[in-house]
Amino acid sequence: MKTFSKELRERFPKQVLTVEESVSGQVTVLLNSSDATVITRHFLTERQARLVTVFAEDRVKAEGVFYNYYVFDQLGDPSWVILKAPISQDHPSFPSLAAELPSVNWQEREIQDWFGLEAAGHPNPRRVALHDNWPDVHPLRKDFPLDTVLPAFEGERHVYRPTLGEGVFQIPVGPVHAGIIEPGHFNFAVAGEPILYLQLRMFYTHKGTEKLFENLPIPRAVFLAESISGDSAFSHGAAFCQAIERAAEIEVPQRAQFMRAILLELERIANHIGDAGAIANDVGFVIANAHAGRVRELVLGLNETLTGSRVLRGMVAIGGVRRDWQRDQIEAIEKTLAVVEREFRDLTAILQSSNSTRERLERTGILRPEKAAMLGVVGVAGRASGVDLDVRRDHPYEAYRHLPFRVPVYQAGDVRHRLQVRIDEVGESLQIIRAAVAQLPEGSHRAPQQPIPPGRCALSAVEGWRGEIVHWVRTGEDNRLERCKVKDPSINNWPAIVETMEGNIVADFPVINKSFNLSYSGTDR
Amino acid sequence: MFKILQKTFSVGTATVDYPSIAPRLAEQFRGCPEFDFAAWSDARPAANACPTGAIAVCDRDGVRQVTVDYGRCIFCGECAEASLDGAVRMTQRFELAATDRRDLVLFAEYTLHPDGSHAELQSATSGPGAEIPGKRIAAAIHNLLGRSLSIRQVDAGSCNGCEQEIVALNNPVHDIERFGIHFVASPRHADMLLVTGPVTRNMELALRKTWAATPDPKVVVAVGACGISGGIFGTNYASLGGVDAAIPVDVYIPGCPPRPEALLHGILLALGQVRQRMSSHPRG
């Protein structure tokens, strides 16, 4: 890593102020704010790096400035690079990258909404996180109290691009949907059956999560992390704990690392099986969904045996896991997985046996690899469109460096291949769990609890079942947090759904949407 | 086609017989905590450990009032672990649905030692009673099968945890349709709104409109700690708290998320409310 920081200093002697490497696997580079764009371009073009996330922090009270952070992932390098650019109070503005880098479109607008920092030059600088009827507030500024009571909302909620022309119509859908899913608004412009374009409105479930993190003692905040996105409770919980552990240099016992990996994979298996059924259901293949629902229950039952909760809540903890496993619990893993494997194989055969189902899934909702890369799409949706990323392999954490697995990648980018990635990954996850059980070390399941030192920053990433989950924390006094940034993979992937609409018909929207199965709550926080 | 039939026949019946037969729970399953108020030597460690503020202490003039709110509880077990005297114990109880919000709240009052530990229990309310035991509900349902119940689910800001378990109600294992209960796509077709929370500022209007679009007589069921009280999110600049901050609620189902049987228990409890309202407010 020394060579990297030396290289960067030599290349940008004036721009790079300090390079800090106190947390292993993370390099934080302090810049002048005006230099962020030139160095970002250097990372994107010359280093083939990917901009993972951009977020801000209010340090006005402590240091007299705001900061913007740009997190990069460099191909073939397990370290994260974090550029840190101060933004002065007197000139609360930063240069927007969205025009050349569409993947930061929403994230830069979030910074505008939360912090009141202007993304100068943004091609579409409208509000994204706070709806249009919100008063002029910036909730993540430190001088905005969590329990601020805002006046009742009124006025226009959101103005959509008009749909004009003979025979062209608008179909507004949501936020309350027909199925049992989360709320969001989809505005389709259609000409007959084909969709011309789709406009999305999210953030209906915004519930002040990042602000709330700054107001809870860290041990309690673990439970908040579990409620960021309920289908990824363990992944978000683990990502959060890992960030704290890195910041406080807490060594997680080997046994706990393996236990976490097993539970992360169980979360993946349960969700992938559920999605396989739901995708079939959305093209009218109900019987496949019935079998999937039944097989998923087997996994949820195992979750309950291992954690006391069907959805893996209340298990992950700072320093490890809350409860150790007895022999009979460990034996239940293989016993259940043997049945799940057999049943899932039958389910896959059923899914593939139906020509009419295949017809509906193939060439539906295509996300082309070049678009996926441009939009920074991650996870299952990315891997179905040629984006070969997996945090478990690229930035190994927990026990993953000891657990071999294959990362399935396809180029076709249609619904069929987003389903195929899931089918392949269930198989891989079964093998990961078996390998982890076979190697499960003896010893403690949790590091001794200790107060968390203030003023430490750390980033953590976990490959949730949906994709790359990133948490970044700055610890504060009294076992509390100054800041917790949460990035769910959904925030990258929602704009990609819009791109898949072209040439598709309204009737295929549900299955296209389901094949991404993005988290509204994880997006909205 | 043959393969599909073969598979389906080989599986046989997957559906469980809840509520007639108690569900098979893993030994490790955590239901709600139980409090032995008389034996409780100090409520403060549990209150400090509780992530949602479900356990609260208020000391005044040498007297401590302890409040336990199952409507905020996420069944995490931190209180039991923090209370070294064994007075707080995790149980496997999950049938906690109540028609009265107050029934989910317990109170105890203690005089205190100088060090702040409990001297003597002055008064306490007993634990929450399941409003209708499972078997009686089953009988009530059989009497009601002449009609069916249509539910519209509304996510008013949830994390999607409760939705996962509501979806599970529709799988062949829990199969809610065996009671003639089904989920419908529009509030205009619904007898019941099954609402998860917390109610966000951005969803309040949509929730109110959905409620207004549901024909009378209707019942509203608030699901989960967040739907009842705002849960870990509570009330803040973006969250109004529980569902009853926006629309009237008839039944509250605790849990985080409530397991499918707990949801079913609450829905069946609410069905009794529908029946009452049907007789006093006939439709058509």
Side-chain angles (χ1 to χ4, degrees):
Chain A
M1 249 12 273
K2 282 279 172 288
T3 53
F4 165 74
S5 65
K6 213 174 129 200
E7 210 182 294
L8 202 64
R9 278 171 187 282
E10 281 168 10
R11 178 76 196 267
F12 298 103
K14 288 204 187 105
Q15 288 89 342
V16 172
L17 301 177
T18 63
V19 178
E20 189 240 325
E21 302 176 55
S22 62
V23 179
S24 85
Q26 305 178 11
V27 187
T28 305
V29 182
L30 182 67
L31 308 169
N32 284 316
S33 57
S34 52
D35 300 329
T37 313
V38 64
I39 300 198
T40 297
R41 282 204 192 106
H42 163 75
F43 272 95
L44 295 176
T45 54
E46 289 174 47
R47 292 182 172 270
Q48 272 88 53
R50 177 176 63 96
L51 184 49
V52 174
T53 178
V54 48
F55 59 94
E57 187 189 18
D58 177 357
R59 294 288 289 165
V60 169
K61 217 173 137 198
E63 302 177 43
V65 290
F66 295 93
Y67 284 111
N68 253 10
Y69 296 86
Y70 303 83
V71 180
F72 290 93
D73 172 23
Q74 301 185 87
L75 196 67
D77 184 344
S79 279
W80 304 96
V81 179
I82 305 167
L83 301 185
K84 178 177 170 186
I87 298 168
S88 88
Q89 286 186 79
D90 309 327
H91 186 60
S93 169
F94 62 95
S96 168
L97 298 168
E100 49 194 301
L101 199 63
S103 66
V104 298
N105 171 3
W106 285 16
Q107 298 187 54
E108 286 188 346
R109 287 157 70 190
E110 273 185 43
I111 295 173
Q112 292 196 133
D113 292 358
W114 304 139
F115 293 92
L117 305 173
E118 185 204 1
H122 195 294
N124 178 15
R126 294 201 296 170
R127 279 182 174 181
V128 66
L130 301 181
H131 283 187
D132 297 355
N133 51 30
W134 280 59
D136 197 16
V137 292
H138 305 296
L140 284 181
R141 284 199 174 187
K142 291 287 179 189
D143 57 8
F144 180 93
L146 172 70
D147 54 3
T148 304
V149 180
L150 298 173
F153 58 70
E154 54 182 38
E156 192 62 54
R157 195 165 258 265
H158 187 68
V159 181
Y160 292 91
R161 188 154 35 129
T163 301
L164 302 168
E166 199 182 324
V168 180
F169 295 95
Q170 238 174 24
I171 307 178
V173 178
V176 178
H177 294 275
I180 303 169
I181 57 168
E182 299 176 81
H185 187 90
F186 303 101
N187 194 297
F188 298 93
V190 298
E193 274 206 285
I195 299 168
L196 295 175
Y197 57 84
L198 165 65
Q199 298 177 74
L200 283 179
R201 188 76 184 134
M202 304 302 295
F203 290 90
Y204 281 92
T205 69
H206 172 63
K207 39 197 176 277
T209 306
E210 287 186 13
K211 187 78 182 181
L212 188 51
F213 268 114
E214 297 170 12
N215 287 265
L216 288 176
I218 288 172
R220 292 195 199 178
V222 177
F223 295 97
L224 180 60
E226 290 183 341
S227 292
I228 292 167
S229 174
D231 50 43
S232 306
F234 196 84
S235 305
H236 269 289
F240 177 74
C241 289
Q242 203 172 262
I244 301 292
E245 288 151 5
R246 286 183 186 170
E249 295 172 60
I250 295 169
E251 187 78 35
V252 178
Q254 281 284 314
R255 184 175 177 83
Q257 294 193 23
F258 277 81
M259 290 170 75
R260 282 185 183 176
I262 291 169
L263 295 168
L264 285 164
E265 296 311 315
L266 282 173
E267 190 162 84
R268 191 179 327 277
I269 292 174
N271 279 292
H272 281 358
I273 293 174
D275 281 352
I279 289 170
N281 200 53
D282 277 349
V283 293
F285 196 15
V286 180
I287 187 79
N289 188 36
H291 283 296
R294 184 177 58 79
V295 181
R296 186 179 139 86
E297 282 288 323
L298 298 172
V299 184
L300 301 186
L302 176 61
N303 288 349
E304 186 170 287
T305 299
L306 295 176
T307 67
S309 159
R310 284 162 49 91
V311 289
L312 303 170
R313 285 180 182 249
M315 184 63 170
V316 72
I318 309 282
V321 291
R322 273 173 226 285
R323 298 161 192 88
D324 201 2
W325 290 337
Q326 306 303 314
R327 177 170 292 279
D328 57 330
Q329 284 168 287
I330 296 167
E331 283 166 2
I333 299 175
E334 178 47 39
K335 239 161 81 185
T336 309
L337 291 191
V339 183
V340 169
E341 185 170 39
R342 195 180 63 230
E343 291 283 352
F344 190 69
R345 199 184 305 132
D346 290 352
L347 173 64
T348 311
I350 289 176
L351 280 170
Q352 285 161 349
S353 71
S354 161
N355 287 337
S356 59
T357 299
R358 208 169 47 230
E359 288 268 295
R360 290 286 305 276
L361 305 183
E362 274 175 5
R363 293 179 299 282
T364 302
I366 294 174
L367 176 65
R368 305 232 171 265
E370 55 280 12
K371 274 196 176 157
M374 184 184 76
L375 290 169
V377 174
V378 294
V380 169
R383 290 191 284 275
S385 293
V387 180
D388 188 5
L389 292 175
D390 190 316
V391 186
R392 296 173 295 174
R393 180 198 62 197
D394 306 335
H395 304 270
Y397 54 94
E398 312 292 7
Y400 286 109
R401 51 180 71 80
H402 309 289
L403 302 166
F405 61 97
R406 193 179 65 88
V407 177
V409 178
Y410 296 96
Q411 306 295 323
D414 56 359
V415 173
R416 162 84 181 82
H417 285 84
R418 285 188 282 276
L419 172 62
Q420 191 59 45
V421 168
R422 289 179 168 94
I423 291 171
D424 294 354
E425 287 187 357
V426 168
E428 295 298 323
S429 294
L430 288 167
Q431 299 318 317
I432 292 174
I433 295 173
R434 286 184 173 131
V437 169
Q439 298 176 53
L440 186 66
E442 294 296 327
S444 166
H445 65 282
R446 188 173 181 182
Q449 295 179 57
Q450 59 183 76
I452 308 296
R456 305 275 187 91
C457 300
L459 179 110
S460 119
V462 161
E463 187 73 21
W465 65 268
R466 203 177 258 121
E468 172 194 78
I469 292 171
V470 177
H471 284 222
W472 183 90
V473 297
R474 179 194 293 275
T475 61
E477 301 289 338
D478 303 327
N479 230 12
R480 283 169 190 264
L481 289 168
E482 282 286 319
R483 175 88 172 98
C484 178
K485 163 68 188 175
V486 175
K487 202 216 64 160
D488 190 87
S490 311
I491 199 103
N492 299 67
N493 292 8
W494 274 115
I497 292 191
V498 174
E499 295 298 322
T500 62
M501 286 299 113
E502 209 184 310
N504 284 274
I505 58 173
V506 176
D508 276 339
F509 175 73
V511 72
I512 296 171
N513 193 23
K514 184 55 77 179
S515 72
F516 282 85
N517 195 7
L518 303 178
S519 168
Y520 299 63
S521 183
T523 302
D524 306 348
R525 288 153 286 152
Chain B
M1 191 52 155
F2 176 71
K3 260 191 197 157
I4 297 171
L5 283 173
Q6 195 183 29
K7 180 68 197 171
T8 304
F9 283 122
S10 78
V11 169
T13 305
T15 312
V16 296
D17 211 359
Y18 180 84
S20 302
I21 296 170
R24 205 185 296 161
L25 304 170
E27 190 190 312
Q28 291 79 10
F29 166 67
R30 281 189 309 283
C32 71
E34 182 180 74
F35 298 82
D36 183 347
F37 286 121
W40 209 2
S41 60
D42 198 341
R44 290 172 303 179
N48 282 332
C50 178
T52 63
I55 301 170
V57 294
C58 176
D59 293 356
R60 198 171 296 156
D61 306 327
V63 175
R64 171 169 300 151
Q65 283 188 323
V66 182
T67 317
V68 175
D69 185 353
Y70 287 105
R72 301 190 83 91
C73 181
I74 57 171
F75 301 9
C76 65
E78 291 292 278
C79 52
E81 210 167 294
S83 306
L84 301 173
D85 52 18
V88 185
R89 199 176 64 83
M90 293 311 285
T91 70
Q92 296 211 309
R93 279 194 59 195
F94 62 85
E95 290 165 312
L96 298 165
T99 50
D100 190 333
R101 175 74 178 87
R102 289 166 300 187
D103 287 348
L104 295 175
V105 185
L106 311 182
F107 298 98
E109 207 171 74
Y110 296 94
T111 54
L112 298 178
H113 290 302
D115 68 352
S117 64
H118 302 165
E120 204 177 328
L121 178 66
Q122 298 295 300
S123 63
T125 48
S126 60
E131 285 211 14
I132 305 176
K135 280 194 178 149
R136 270 182 51 206
I137 297 184
I141 293 305
H142 285 301
N143 294 335
L144 277 168
L145 271 179
R147 59 174 263 111
S148 63
L149 180 81
S150 298
I151 303 178
R152 172 74 279 229
Q153 198 266 335
V154 184
D155 175 339
S158 130
C159 75
N160 198 31
C162 291
E163 277 65 26
Q164 297 233 304
E165 293 296 54
I166 295 170
V167 168
L169 277 177
N170 293 284
N171 72 29
V173 175
H174 300 289
D175 189 21
I176 195 167
E177 295 237 11
R178 68 199 146 109
F179 299 103
I181 301 173
H182 51 264
F183 285 82
V184 292
S186 166
R188 298 193 194 281
H189 306 154
D191 308 297
M192 176 189 289
L193 294 181
L194 190 65
V195 190
T196 58
V199 179
T200 60
R201 195 168 186 277
N202 288 344
M203 274 304 287
E204 184 191 1
L205 181 63
L207 176 60
R208 287 186 195 278
K209 283 184 173 175
T210 306
W211 186 80
T214 311
D216 281 322
K218 59 192 165 201
V219 291
V220 175
V221 178
V223 175
C226 295
I228 298 173
S229 65
I232 196 160
F233 297 97
T235 50
N236 65 41
Y237 73 94
S239 159
L240 278 68
V243 175
D244 58 12
I247 57 173
V249 171
D250 300 284
V251 169
Y252 300 86
I253 307 179
C256 183
R259 57 183 303 122
E261 295 90 343
L263 290 168
L264 194 52
H265 170 265
I267 291 168
L268 297 180
L269 181 65
L271 196 55
Q273 306 275 308
V274 179
R275 184 171 55 162
Q276 268 177 20
R277 259 170 237 186
M278 283 300 282
S279 52
S280 65
H281 192 315
R283 218 177 253 182

